[in-house]
Amino acid sequence: MKRIYNNINLEKRNSFGVKQEARTLVEFDTAEELKSYLEEAKPSKWYVLGAGNNTLFTADYDGVLFAPTASSRTILEDDGESVVVRVEAAHDWDEFVAWSVDNGLWGIENLSAIPSSVGAAPVQNIGAYGAEVKDAITAIDYFDVDKMEVVRIKCEECGFGYRESVFKHELRGVAIILAVEFKLHRTPTPNLGYGDVIKEVEARGGATLKNIREAICAIRASKLPDPKVLGNAGSFFKNPIVPRIVAERLLNEYPSMPCYTVPNRDDVMKLAAGWLIDQSGLKGYREGHVGVHDRQALVLVNHGGATGGEMLHFAEFVCSVVKGKFGVEIAPEVNIL
């Protein structure tokens, strides 16, 4: 059933807990309901709001927010070794990860405890601990607002990169994701490239799906604040990718600086934004209602009562301090409206 809300307070619909309003919010279950609203209302400005875990509202939204509500999960194929499953956009991401682990299916266990809806996951190409969601996606169904029809796009057409996808560029303002198709496997393929993950997994008895998920959930819980308690969106900033010559210069000055290779690129390196912020003396730093989390410098938090504008101003301050100390530009990972 289609549900329309006017002048709705978004405080409970965004993980930062900012009290902005939207002129209109439309919940829809099916593509037909979405199409009927678009044909009738013809909104000139719209945005898709999933679980609200990666969006910062800096002002009242004067357009239409679309909120998908369908959340079913359907197994399409199972050949004994691999399983293809279709998951609708509103399905909670971590519940899907938990289901895959409970059913002995490998491929997304390293993405445990990431707050997101399934529909939002490919937009950012969510990733953690050496894994990215693109590696498990086979296809995506979305509603094309220009064509006014459902379109199916294969993984290789999605333009996936580090926190990037075609949905943030060519299909921005065009596509509303309805469902994502994944291929998961029963053959064990543990991805333990991070030291803290290895340590936690070994402490639990070895690299089983259950142990990996529990280890990653424990690590994230120890570092990241619960948005139900302290407003945040997890990592606020992307890890910057810089020319190799810049990374080597910084390594000469800061030998302990974390630095990572980028697949299929020899000319660049990835730096750790959290380390840069920490070394800039900002971990735990606070201005008014907004601050850098005291355990994870990638996370900006709303201590209560902050506006979206205050959050954005503070983020710009953090970027300027890092740029001043290291000459490196960091950029937000969250969507800013």
Side-chain angles (χ1 to χ4, degrees):
M1 179 185 297
K2 181 171 59 183
R3 293 162 292 277
I4 301 173
Y5 304 91
N6 295 313
N7 301 317
I8 183 171
N9 188 327
L10 300 173
E11 182 180 7
K12 301 300 183 181
R13 290 179 178 261
N14 73 95
S15 62
F16 282 107
V18 297
K19 299 180 180 180
Q20 308 297 163
E21 289 190 352
R23 188 184 68 195
T24 305
L25 184 142
V26 179
E27 293 182 341
F28 66 94
D29 297 328
T30 67
E32 290 74 19
E33 291 175 355
L34 176 60
K35 182 179 180 179
S36 70
Y37 179 85
L38 288 166
E39 289 176 336
E40 295 168 8
K42 296 180 173 61
S44 59
K45 179 179 180 181
W46 58 268
Y47 178 79
V48 181
L49 183 67
N53 292 303
N54 205 48
T55 300
L56 175 62
F57 291 97
T58 59
D60 289 346
Y61 190 74
D62 60 354
V64 177
L65 294 179
F66 289 114
T69 56
S71 60
S72 68
R73 183 181 61 240
T74 306
I75 293 177
L76 303 179
E77 300 176 23
D78 185 347
D79 63 8
E81 195 287 316
S82 61
V83 171
V84 177
V85 56
R86 183 181 188 271
V87 189
E88 292 186 298
H91 195 299
D92 180 80
W93 172 257
D94 194 54
E95 287 183 10
F96 175 47
V97 178
W99 173 86
S100 71
V101 169
D102 289 344
N103 285 274
L105 299 173
W106 294 77
I108 55 175
E109 61 281 350
N110 282 37
L111 305 180
S112 292
I114 294 178
S116 177
S117 61
V118 166
V123 178
Q124 293 288 118
N125 184 24
I126 60 173
Y129 302 107
E132 292 181 318
V133 72
K134 70 176 179 62
D135 297 324
I137 290 175
T138 57
I140 295 173
D141 295 331
Y142 68 87
F143 189 86
D144 189 306
V145 173
D146 290 343
K147 298 178 180 178
M148 294 295 283
E149 64 183 27
V150 177
V151 175
R152 184 175 178 81
I153 186 172
K154 295 181 180 179
C155 177
E156 54 268 27
E157 301 173 273
C158 290
F160 286 128
Y162 174 62
R163 302 298 180 269
E164 290 287 353
S165 76
V166 70
F167 301 103
K168 295 180 71 174
H169 299 286
E170 296 94 323
L171 292 181
R172 183 180 177 88
V174 175
I176 299 176
I177 293 176
L178 302 174
V180 185
E181 186 178 286
F182 300 88
K183 189 172 186 177
L184 306 173
H185 305 273
R186 291 193 172 91
T187 301
T189 53
N191 182 350
L192 303 178
Y194 283 72
D196 50 352
V197 175
I198 295 172
K199 185 185 300 183
E200 289 285 343
V201 168
E202 288 179 346
R204 285 167 169 76
T208 66
L209 270 172
K210 180 175 181 291
N211 289 345
I212 292 172
R213 172 168 167 77
E214 288 183 353
I216 289 175
C217 287
I219 293 168
R220 292 182 68 88
S222 71
K223 295 180 178 180
L224 302 175
D226 183 347
K228 295 177 182 178
V229 178
L230 195 61
N232 75 94
S235 298
F236 192 96
F237 301 99
K238 295 186 286 188
N239 290 323
I241 296 175
V242 302
R244 180 176 287 271
I245 190 172
V246 173
E248 291 174 345
R249 173 179 59 80
L250 289 171
L251 280 169
N252 285 332
E253 189 172 354
Y254 305 98
S256 64
M257 181 186 73
C259 192
Y260 309 99
T261 58
V262 177
N264 304 315
R265 293 287 302 274
D266 294 327
D267 58 329
V268 297
M269 299 288 284
K270 184 190 295 183
L271 308 184
W275 186 90
L276 297 173
I277 297 168
D278 187 359
Q279 294 301 306
S280 297
L282 294 176
K283 181 185 282 187
Y285 180 76
R286 176 175 176 173
E287 285 188 357
H289 302 296
V290 188
V292 178
H293 193 242
D294 58 6
R295 289 179 302 188
Q296 174 51 269
L298 269 180
V299 178
L300 299 190
V301 297
N302 176 5
H303 287 285
T307 66
E310 289 173 328
M311 298 289 302
L312 179 59
H313 178 76
F314 186 81
E316 292 170 343
F317 162 74
V318 172
C319 292
S320 68
V321 172
V322 170
K323 178 70 180 294
K325 182 173 178 62
F326 295 101
V328 173
E329 292 187 355
I330 59 174
E333 178 178 326
V334 302
N335 297 309
I336 297 173
L337 298 180

